Amino acid sequence: MALKNKVQSVVVSVWRNNALFLSCSRTISTFATGFDNKILKSPSLVSLDIPDVWSSNSAGYSESSTYKPAREHTARVIDGKQIAEEIISNVANEVTRMKKTIGKVPGLGVILVGERKDSLTYVRNKIKACEEAGIKFKLTEFSDSCTEDEICDAIMQFNVDQSLHGIIVQLPLPRHLNEEKIFDVLKLEKDVDGFHPMNMGNLAMRGRKPLFIPCTPKGCVELLIRYGVEIMGKKAVVIGRSNIVGLPASLLLQRHHATVTIVTALTANPEEIAREADILISGVGVPNMVRGSWVKPGAVVVDVGTYPIEDTSCEQGYRLIGDVCYEEASRVASLITPVPGGVGPMTVAMLLHNTLLAAARKYNFV
């Protein structure tokens, strides 16, 4: 009987904690909205929730596009770097206002495992951006051979550090490490990468809003909105279903009322499916996989993939290319993101924005 009572106590405790987080996620629009519209163009997810009303001609026949690109056609480039700089500048203004108003600044803790070239580049960019925005930055580094317990201990130290409002673990991790175990340790209210199951769940459910939207998909949609791309009612194809990009990107596009198809490594006809997309997003890290023949004329192409290739002419000895064969796709698409300079800078900008949101919630700063 004592054991049964103890179990019931634990269950009630967990339920109460979850209920608190759910309540927080439902009412989150009452916090930190004073500055949010100054920084992002993306609307609140809950404001997008409208009922599905099927009309009698919803499935009516529509002729295929007759768009024919000119021989010299070149897609307009989506300048993620420029937009990210604007967003970071706006975040910096709010950080300055927070410091003057309440004497606090947002803080971000980062855990880096190993010496992957791309991960090192991303972390350097995050440090630089935090410095520009006035956000405190704390980095803990581990070797490739570290254990899960070492990483979990570092996360728990960040969890209790009152000066840190956001925590991220730079991905990917070495194969011997269990990501699920590691992320289970991270406090929900500091999960600025948006990978916690409750954040993902609330992203998927209409009527709910996650505490944080994953940074890369959030950046992709912000780019689409700022470039005037209509999402509602359009066909979107997402190549890849990772927890970092593919899955949350598909969920977020659905919340914006796109008709979404996910292409996986097992999809039998990926080229044919991709060619149906009005909006094509790829994030699998396979260089030049998406050829020009995969792109519907006039489509919007968002390349999330990054792959380092050796290049002695570059200062770092390598350069990054994406999933999309840029030279081919740019002759067919209407809009396209470059690699680098497209989605990458936006991911960093969204991370800073999420960190600002985390601090604003903690201090009830509007």
Side-chain angles (χ1 to χ4, degrees):
M1 180 64 71
L3 177 61
K4 180 179 179 181
N5 291 338
K6 183 177 181 180
V7 170
Q8 288 178 336
S9 176
V10 170
V11 170
V12 170
S13 175
V14 170
W15 178 85
R16 285 176 175 168
N17 288 335
N18 286 343
L20 175 62
F21 288 137
L22 289 173
S23 175
C24 181
S25 67
R26 284 176 172 173
T27 61
I28 205 63
S29 59
T30 63
F31 295 96
T33 55
F35 60 81
D36 211 28
N37 290 337
K38 301 177 187 176
I39 298 175
L40 303 185
K41 303 296 184 182
S42 302
S44 164
L45 290 184
V46 174
S47 72
L48 294 171
D49 290 330
I50 57 176
D52 285 335
V53 179
W54 296 88
S55 62
S56 58
N57 62 350
S58 291
Y61 173 78
S62 175
E63 291 185 358
S64 60
S65 171
T66 58
Y67 173 86
K68 300 292 184 183
R71 289 183 180 180
E72 300 300 323
H73 170 82
T74 301
R76 183 183 175 198
V77 177
I78 297 176
D79 193 341
K81 183 178 180 181
Q82 179 182 349
I83 292 177
E85 288 174 352
E86 178 185 332
I87 291 171
I88 291 172
S89 176
N90 290 334
V91 169
N93 291 338
E94 293 306 316
V95 171
T96 299
R97 187 169 69 89
M98 178 183 287
K99 187 175 182 179
K100 289 181 178 179
T101 305
I102 61 176
K104 303 288 186 180
V105 298
L108 176 67
V110 177
I111 293 173
L112 174 63
V113 181
E115 297 183 355
R116 282 179 58 111
K117 292 178 180 179
D118 52 348
S119 293
L120 291 170
T121 298
Y122 298 149
V123 170
R124 279 196 299 267
N125 292 341
K126 289 167 185 174
I127 292 174
K128 180 181 178 182
C130 282
E131 290 173 347
E132 292 175 1
I135 292 175
K136 175 182 176 180
F137 189 95
K138 187 173 182 179
L139 174 65
T140 297
E141 298 181 76
F142 293 101
S143 69
D144 280 316
S145 60
C146 72
T147 65
E148 291 165 6
D149 288 340
E150 288 177 304
I151 299 175
C152 289
D153 287 343
I155 293 175
M156 287 188 284
Q157 290 179 30
F158 283 175
N159 279 342
V160 298
D161 188 333
Q162 297 300 307
S163 69
L164 298 179
H165 308 90
I167 302 169
I168 67 169
V169 179
Q170 184 63 48
L171 298 176
L173 293 173
R175 292 182 179 274
H176 71 279
L177 297 172
N178 185 328
E179 289 184 9
E180 182 178 351
K181 176 182 177 181
I182 290 169
F183 281 102
D184 280 347
V185 178
L186 199 155
K187 290 180 71 173
L188 175 63
E189 60 267 33
K190 293 191 177 186
D191 173 39
V192 289
D193 257 340
F195 296 153
H196 191 285
M198 190 166 290
N199 276 322
M200 284 286 200
N202 283 335
L203 177 60
M205 297 178 67
R206 296 174 62 180
R208 297 186 183 274
K209 183 178 179 181
L211 289 177
F212 306 103
I213 298 172
C215 301
T216 299
K218 183 176 180 178
C220 291
V221 169
E222 183 71 14
L223 285 177
L224 295 176
I225 290 172
R226 285 179 180 247
Y227 272 79
V229 177
E230 186 177 356
I231 303 175
M232 181 181 291
K234 298 300 183 180
K235 291 182 179 180
V237 172
V238 178
I239 303 176
R241 52 177 169 180
S242 70
N243 290 338
I244 303 172
V245 178
L247 174 60
S250 65
L251 295 174
L252 187 56
L253 287 167
Q254 287 183 71
R255 292 294 293 267
H256 282 263
H257 308 288
T259 300
V260 182
T261 302
I262 297 177
V263 172
T264 76
L266 301 177
T267 301
N269 52 344
E271 180 177 343
E272 180 181 335
I273 293 173
R275 201 162 42 239
E276 296 176 352
D278 301 305
I279 301 168
L280 179 62
I281 298 178
S282 183
V284 294
V286 179
N288 289 338
M289 179 184 72
V290 178
R291 316 299 299 196
S293 61
W294 290 43
V295 181
K296 174 184 177 181
V300 177
V301 178
V302 179
D303 190 353
V304 185
T306 55
Y307 188 84
I309 60 173
E310 291 187 10
D311 189 337
T312 55
S313 67
C314 297
E315 180 181 350
Q316 297 169 345
Y318 70 94
R319 59 186 175 90
L320 298 176
I321 62 174
D323 287 356
V324 179
C325 182
Y326 185 87
E327 292 76 13
E328 294 180 9
S330 61
R331 299 192 187 108
V332 184
S334 61
L335 288 163
I336 190 169
T337 61
V339 176
V343 176
M346 289 297 293
T347 298
V348 175
M350 295 301 100
L351 174 63
L352 268 58
H353 181 256
N354 280 353
T355 303
L356 175 61
L357 283 177
R361 289 188 188 120
K362 179 176 180 179
Y363 303 125
N364 197 21
F365 176 77
V366 295

